[in-house]
Amino acid sequence: MSTGTPTRTYAPARARRRLGLGRLTVRVLLTVLILIEVLPMIWMFLTSLKSNSDYLNNSSWSLPSHWLWSNYSTAWTTGNIGLYVRNSALAVFPSLLLLLLLGTAAGFALQIMVWKGRNFTLLIFLAGLMVPVQMILLPLFTIYTQAGISGTLWPLILTYTGANLPLTVFMMSTFYRAVPREMFEAATLDGAGILRSFWSISVPMVRNAILTVGLVEFFFIWNDLLVALTFTNNQNLSTIQVGLLNFTGQFGSTQYGPLFAAICINVFGTLLIYLFLNQKIMKGLTGGAVKG
Amino acid sequence: MHRVLGDRRAIAILLGPALLVYSLIMLVPMFWSVGYSFTKGNTIEGFTWHGFGNFSHLWSDPNAHQALWFTLKYAVVVTVGQVAVGYLLALLYVFFLRRASALIRTLVFFPMVLPTVAVGLLFKALFQIAPQYGPINQLLVDVGLHPIDWFSSTGTAFIVLVIMDVWRSMGFYAVLLYAGLVDVPDDILESARLDGASGLRLVRHIVLPLSFPVLMSSLIFSINGTLKVFDSILPLTNGGPGNSTTPLTVLMFNTAFDYGDYGYGSAIALLLTVVCLLVTLVVFRVSRRDLTKG
């Protein structure tokens, strides 16, 4: 335990004692923390299996009197959640594809290529990070109406792509910073054109980064409410978030079981992705934040 | 060699599409929106010149004042809440859980990826009083207290909003700040301990100053997000009771799409943008000054 060669393991052990919290206190704190995170999820799930009268007449802490799985099919078909999920997918995945394609190419051009004005161009993209989406909604509404595409999902795809480009370009060019330029000079000597090196050398090299950025943007776009609410004036185009917000309207009176089933479908969908890719998601989301 | 990496045609092919989409979807509409703020009307009825009318209206409109005030209040309280709770969690991770913290970090982080609309509806149900007591009110009744109609008064509705947004994002800020805390060198901590610093004093005088940069970037990130709050409000309170939890974003949305007043809506959007820029600038300045002092 010499102070001369600090290792990462011993200091916290001492700090535990020095910060004045006992083992028990930490245990209690942890238990409370886990309950705060998990209980709402469990409650939501159990409530999604209740019938309306069960929900209205029994304590909200009680278990379902019988497990009504049909709430899920009711939400999916009668509640139109199936349609909304399809709309969301049709808007989100084309946007993602466009974003990653444009962002990777732009990141390469801004970070690897050498030309005058690239710092300024990067700055212009970064400026977009500061501006609230509210600033572009109304002109876009006019543009989409004039272009005659307002009854389709195209306004969503275009807006998602444009509004999320700043972050994508920023993150991709950060990742390209770690790729040495010599790589491409060597490829050139071997006779590859620069476009060719971009596609066959650089893209495989930043494959991991593309996945990370893709995940981050997926959550941003999939969870978006503002843009979707602005450009989907007709219910057949509603995304899952807009559909969920207006869910109670589908039945006349609120059907609580299907409502909670719809919330669960929405929540557990994203949770499933998180279950498998959480480390990458955490790294991506926090990495996108530290730009200051 | 630079001739290859400086190939203008290749740059145009690689950068052109992104720049074009960005210009058409972001840059042009941004300036266009500023233009709208000098007009009255909307896409369907057409626009007429309104001069500075929207801005003088903004100056005297009590709804706008209330929205601006709520936006600032909400941003400050939630930012402080998110970053403070996140910091405490990060301290817990670093000093008490160490290696074992990976699982907890992952668990506490997950609400961040959930759709805000779903979380909002969930919290509305957790805190509801009618038609059935939600779990929170049921708990209050079970321990002999009175149930609270959380969404009928501004103060309690605000509390639920804050609780929800802190719940949603504390794990995110914890991970962000954890990365900064892990970087605090152990030998500094150790020598401070040898000098007799312990407990809170150790945190205040050693850990806090050393993690200051990451704390500041968390603050800037958080305040930028909370000033633009929209998704949390709609499902939870829908701006109510009355318009007491209506931020600028929601006011802008209603003005433009419920009342069809694009000009005034654009003026509100411009106000929001200016507020975001100013606040970021102020936080940035303050953080720079404190750094030189510490």
Side-chain angles (χ1 to χ4, degrees), chain B residues 12-153:
Chain B
I13 291 173
L14 290 170
L15 187 63
L19 207 55
L20 185 74
V21 171
Y22 178 62
S23 305
L24 288 182
I25 305 291
M26 290 282 287
L27 291 181
V28 172
M30 248 147 69
F31 293 106
W32 195 329
S33 182
V34 175
Y36 269 173
S37 58
F38 294 99
T39 66
K40 201 158 190 59
N42 57 50
T43 310
I44 293 133
E45 294 164 6
F47 294 89
T48 53
W49 183 252
H50 199 45
F52 284 90
N54 288 320
F55 295 102
S56 57
H57 185 200
L58 202 55
W59 188 255
S60 59
D61 180 7
N63 287 331
H65 295 174
Q66 126 71 32
L68 177 62
W69 170 238
F70 176 77
T71 301
L72 293 173
K73 188 173 74 166
Y74 173 88
V76 169
V77 173
V78 173
T79 294
V80 170
Q82 283 174 343
V83 177
V85 176
Y87 198 74
L88 290 178
L89 284 174
L91 286 174
L92 183 78
Y93 296 166
V94 173
F95 289 109
F96 297 102
L97 303 181
R98 298 184 283 152
R99 296 267 165 83
S101 77
L103 194 67
I104 293 288
R105 285 205 305 270
T106 311
L107 177 74
V108 182
F109 191 95
F110 86 82
M112 188 66 190
V113 304
L114 304 184
T116 316
V117 175
V119 176
L121 291 173
L122 172 64
F123 270 70
K124 193 175 170 184
L126 287 175
F127 284 86
Q128 78 184 0
I129 191 163
Q132 165 71 298
Y133 290 162
I136 302 292
N137 274 327
Q138 189 64 52
L139 206 63
L140 289 176
V141 171
D142 287 347
V143 299
L145 296 168
H146 286 290
I148 298 171
D149 192 353
W150 295 91
F151 299 108
S152 73
S153 89

Side-chain angles (χ1 to χ4, degrees), chain A residues 93-107 161 165 168 172 198-199 203 209-218:
Chain A
F93 291 108
S95 320
L96 268 183
L97 191 72
L98 272 172
L99 258 179
L100 292 176
L101 208 63
L102 297 179
T104 311
T161 308
L165 255 180
T168 312
M172 283 318 299
F198 161 70
W199 190 252
V203 169
I210 294 177
L211 181 60
T212 306
V213 177
L215 275 171
V216 169
E217 299 293 2
F218 169 80

Side-chain angles (χ1 to χ4, degrees), chain B residues 195-211:
Chain B
D195 290 341
S198 67
L200 277 178
R201 285 190 44 197
L202 185 70
V203 171
R204 233 190 85 193
H205 295 288
I206 309 292
V207 180
L208 206 54
L210 282 174
S211 55

Side-chain angles (χ1 to χ4, degrees), chain A residues 3 6-16 18-19 21 26 29-30 33-34 36-38 40-41 43-44 55-61 102 105-106 108-110 112-115 121 124-125 127-132 134-136 138-145 158-159 161-163 165-166 181 184-185 188-189 194-195 198 219 223-226 229-230 241 244-245 256 259-260 263 266-267 270-271 274 278-279 281-282 285-286 288-291, chain B residues 1-2 4-7 9-11 13-15 17-19 21-22 24-27 29-30 32-34 36 43 47 89 92 94-99 104-118 121-122 125-126 128 131-136 138-139 142 167 170 172 175-176 182-184 186-187 190 193-194 197-200 202-203 217 221 224 228 230-231 234-235 249 252-253 256-257 262 265-266 269-270 272-273 276-277 280:
Chain A
T3 43
T7 57
R8 200 145 288 300
T9 41
Y10 73 87
R14 298 193 105 203
R16 182 203 300 267
R18 297 296 181 114
L19 284 182
L21 289 187
V26 174
L29 271 175
L30 273 185
L33 193 62
I34 293 172
I36 288 174
E37 297 298 335
V38 176
M41 295 291 113
W43 181 78
M44 176 182 81
Y55 179 79
L56 292 172
N57 299 325
N58 299 328
S59 161
S60 51
W61 283 90
L102 297 179
F108 183 87
L110 289 167
I112 301 290
M113 307 283 286
V114 185
W115 49 288
T121 313
I124 291 184
F125 274 110
L129 286 171
M130 301 285 296
V131 178
Q134 273 81 7
M135 260 320 257
I136 60 169
L138 300 178
L140 284 180
F141 200 90
T142 306
I143 294 173
Y144 296 146
T145 310
L158 291 173
T159 314
T161 308
L165 255 180
R181 272 202 193 100
F184 305 101
E185 297 173 348
T188 312
L189 287 180
I194 189 71
L195 290 178
F198 161 70
F219 284 111
N223 294 347
D224 161 80
L225 176 66
L226 177 61
L229 205 55
T230 305
Q241 310 309 338
L244 192 59
L245 188 67
Y256 291 95
L259 172 65
F260 281 99
I263 299 175
N266 197 0
V267 162
T270 48
L271 267 191
Y274 186 71
N278 49 58
Q279 293 312 313
I281 294 168
M282 287 163 77
L285 279 173
T286 48
V290 196
K291 52 180 170 243
Chain B
M1 197 44 67
H2 270 186
V4 179
L5 288 178
D7 181 351
R9 204 178 60 93
I11 293 170
I13 291 173
L14 290 170
L15 187 63
L19 207 55
V21 171
Y22 178 62
L24 288 182
I25 305 291
M26 290 282 287
L27 291 181
M30 248 147 69
W32 195 329
S33 182
V34 175
Y36 269 173
T43 310
F47 294 89
L89 284 174
L92 183 78
V94 173
F95 289 109
F96 297 102
L97 303 181
R98 298 184 283 152
R99 296 267 165 83
I104 293 288
R105 285 205 305 270
T106 311
L107 177 74
V108 182
F109 191 95
F110 86 82
M112 188 66 190
V113 304
L114 304 184
T116 316
V117 175
L121 291 173
L122 172 64
L126 287 175
Q128 78 184 0
Q132 165 71 298
Y133 290 162
I136 302 292
Q138 189 64 52
L139 206 63
D142 287 347
W167 182 81
M170 62 184 182
F172 170 80
V175 170
L176 200 62
V182 166
D183 288 343
V184 173
D186 283 339
D187 46 349
E190 191 55 25
R193 273 190 212 105
L194 291 176
S198 67
L200 277 178
L202 185 70
V203 171
S217 48
F221 187 75
N224 250 309
K228 298 171 192 165
F230 182 82
D231 299 21
L234 250 48
T249 52
M252 178 267 172
F253 192 87
F257 297 112
Y262 279 29
S266 297
L270 189 60
L272 179 68
T273 308
C276 285
L277 289 176
T280 309

Side-chain angles (χ1 to χ4, degrees), chain A residues 26-205:
Chain A
V26 174
R27 286 263 164 87
V28 171
L29 271 175
L30 273 185
T31 314
V32 171
L33 193 62
I34 293 172
L35 285 181
I36 288 174
E37 297 298 335
V38 176
L39 270 185
M41 295 291 113
I42 296 175
W43 181 78
M44 176 182 81
F45 175 65
L46 289 176
T47 309
S48 75
L49 298 170
K50 286 183 176 180
S51 71
N52 234 22
S53 63
D54 190 0
Y55 179 79
L56 292 172
N57 299 325
N58 299 328
S59 161
S60 51
W61 283 90
S62 66
L63 292 172
S65 48
H66 64 276
W67 295 47
L68 206 62
W69 290 100
S70 65
N71 281 338
Y72 281 83
S73 56
T74 309
W76 190 262
T77 53
T78 319
N80 283 333
I81 291 297
L83 173 71
Y84 301 146
V85 168
R86 198 200 63 144
N87 286 338
S88 271
L90 284 178
V92 170
F93 291 108
S95 320
L96 268 183
L97 191 72
L98 272 172
L99 258 179
L100 292 176
L101 208 63
L102 297 179
T104 311
F108 183 87
L110 289 167
Q111 202 63 53
I112 301 290
M113 307 283 286
V114 185
W115 49 288
K116 226 172 143 181
R118 64 197 178 106
N119 282 331
F120 179 70
T121 313
L122 186 61
L123 218 65
I124 291 184
F125 274 110
L126 288 187
L129 286 171
M130 301 285 296
V131 178
V133 189
Q134 273 81 7
M135 260 320 257
I136 60 169
L137 287 183
L138 300 178
L140 284 180
F141 200 90
T142 306
I143 294 173
Y144 296 146
T145 310
Q146 302 273 330
I149 54 171
S150 57
T152 66
L153 286 170
W154 279 106
L156 289 188
I157 296 172
L158 291 173
T159 314
Y160 287 144
T161 308
N164 290 298
L165 255 180
L167 186 64
T168 312
V169 170
F170 169 73
M171 287 182 84
M172 283 318 299
S173 67
T174 317
F175 285 118
Y176 266 120
R177 203 170 295 163
V179 178
R181 272 202 193 100
E182 289 74 31
M183 202 84 181
F184 305 101
E185 297 173 348
T188 312
L189 287 180
D190 292 342
I194 189 71
L195 290 178
R196 171 96 206 251
S197 340
F198 161 70
W199 190 252
S200 357
I201 300 175
S202 90
V203 169
M205 280 183 78

